DNA sequence: GCCAACGTTGGC
DNA sequence: GCCAACGTTGGC
């Protein structure tokens, strides 16, 4: 069963366009225990919304997990994990944080409750709502 | 750029 | 094991 996630990145550091250019990337450097637990739960073919934090504040596309979690090569302690992500789809219409906040179907999203986590789970219902919003048909 | 939220660290 | 200080994140 495919699981759904939301990953955050500052576009000035690594934007969705960078992922599209590179074809795939190692999603490493996560140093928060809770976010690391979510990373470890990711499986091949899981899908993740790609959210631009700080500068754009919108989900701009979808990435797919192309390698399940493995020890983060940038973590000398071996405590943290990484996955590999590849671009799957760029949204026709980015879904902004404001639009997500305004949609009551998304009120329970983990990203609102723990806004600093760089990796959060998304329910299948939330996933479908945001996908619909990205197509402009109202969610 | 500021600062609130909140996880982590370290002195005791 | 408590908790103040510190560092990081991300909305504004």
């Amino acid at each position: 069963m495919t699981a759904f996630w939301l990953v955050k990145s500052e576009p000035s550091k690594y934007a969705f366009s960078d992922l599209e250019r590179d074809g795939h990337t190692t999603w490493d450097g996560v140093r928060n225990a809770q976010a690391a637990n979510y990373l470890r739960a990711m499986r091949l073919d899981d899908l993740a919304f790609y959210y631009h934090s700080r500068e754009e504040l919108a989900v701009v596309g979808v990435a797919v997990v192309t390698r399940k979690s493995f020890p983060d090569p940038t973590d000398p302690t071996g405590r943290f994990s990484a996955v590999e992500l590849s671009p799957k789809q760029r949204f026709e219409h980015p879904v902004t944080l404001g639009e997500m906040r305004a949609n009551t179907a998304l009120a329970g999203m983990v990203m609102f409750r723990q806004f600093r986590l760089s990796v959060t789970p998304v329910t299948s219902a939330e996933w479908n709502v945001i996908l619909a919003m990205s197509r402009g048909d109202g969610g």
Side-chain angles (χ1 to χ4, degrees):
Chain A
M1 171 81 184
T2 299
F4 302 112
W5 309 94
L6 183 145
V7 298
K8 296 180 181 179
S9 182
E10 297 185 34
S12 63
K13 291 181 178 167
Y14 198 80
F16 192 69
S17 58
D18 295 317
L19 182 61
E20 290 177 318
R21 179 199 62 214
D22 295 343
H24 58 84
T25 196
T26 299
W27 205 258
D28 57 22
V30 173
R31 293 294 182 269
N32 174 279
Q34 186 63 61
N37 285 337
Y38 293 137
L39 271 186
R40 270 191 287 276
M42 288 188 182
R43 294 293 177 263
L44 198 65
D45 296 329
D46 278 3
L47 298 173
F49 287 134
Y50 200 102
Y51 177 82
H52 280 172
S53 64
R54 294 228 4 122
E55 291 146 54
E56 188 177 356
L57 309 189
V59 176
V60 297
V62 173
V64 56
V65 177
T66 44
R67 185 181 168 194
K68 79 174 180 70
S69 67
F70 54 93
D72 185 337
T74 69
D75 171 28
T77 74
R79 288 187 299 152
F80 293 102
S81 297
V83 296
E84 184 185 88
L85 296 180
S86 299
K88 179 179 169 62
Q89 167 200 356
R90 176 181 280 276
F91 281 172
E92 190 179 344
H93 306 289
V95 179
T96 67
L97 179 64
E99 289 166 345
M100 293 167 70
R101 282 229 170 99
N103 192 320
T104 55
L106 302 176
M109 284 190 79
V110 173
M111 74 170 292
F112 297 145
R113 203 164 64 240
Q114 295 184 284
F115 75 94
R116 288 170 316 100
L117 280 191
S118 57
V119 182
T120 52
V122 174
T123 69
S124 58
E126 292 159 353
W127 184 268
N128 291 328
V129 168
I130 291 170
L131 271 191
M133 293 167 79
S134 78
R135 292 190 295 262
D137 54 38

